[in-house]
Amino acid sequence: MDISILQNYIKPELLVVAIVLYFIGMGLKNTEKINDKYIPVILGLIGTVISAVYVVATSTFSGYQSILMAIFTTIVQGILVAGLSVYANQLIKQAKKTE
């Protein structure tokens, strides 16, 4: 996969968050307290919180429109980095299968 395609959708500064979420997901998978079906949701929430920190730290707010745009950006980036981490996990899992 060409990394420039990802940069069109995910802010380059947040690509590292996908890697962090991948390892968090691996840790959650190894616990028996959390059902596997909830891991993507948890990663989405964590990704959104981390994205919110980034957006607030790098934005200047000059009105309600900029605040709404920051909220939108936070949600979209959080979902995208979580999706990327789950996608990477599935690529690795599928590559290990022998058929």
Side-chain angles (χ1 to χ4, degrees):
M1 178 183 290
D2 186 13
I3 193 75
S4 64
I5 293 172
L6 291 174
Q7 291 175 347
N8 289 333
Y9 300 103
I10 299 175
K11 294 184 180 293
E13 301 86 3
L14 293 176
L15 285 174
V16 71
V17 175
I19 297 167
V20 170
L21 291 176
Y22 172 81
F23 288 112
I24 291 172
M26 295 288 288
L28 292 173
K29 178 111 175 113
N30 291 331
T31 65
E32 296 178 7
K33 294 181 180 183
I34 297 174
N35 195 327
D36 288 352
K37 68 180 181 180
Y38 298 119
I39 293 175
V41 174
I42 293 168
L43 294 180
L45 292 172
I46 294 170
T48 302
V49 169
I50 294 171
S51 296
V53 171
Y54 168 78
V55 169
V56 169
T58 59
S59 298
T60 55
F61 301 107
S62 60
Y64 73 92
Q65 188 174 13
S66 62
I67 293 170
L68 292 175
M69 189 60 180
I71 292 170
F72 175 77
T73 302
T74 293
I75 293 169
V76 169
Q77 291 298 303
I79 291 170
L80 287 175
V81 294
L84 180 59
S85 70
V86 172
Y87 178 68
N89 177 272
Q90 287 300 308
L91 282 177
I92 293 168
K93 186 185 290 187
Q94 296 302 322
K96 290 180 182 178
K97 282 188 176 181
T98 57
E99 292 185 52

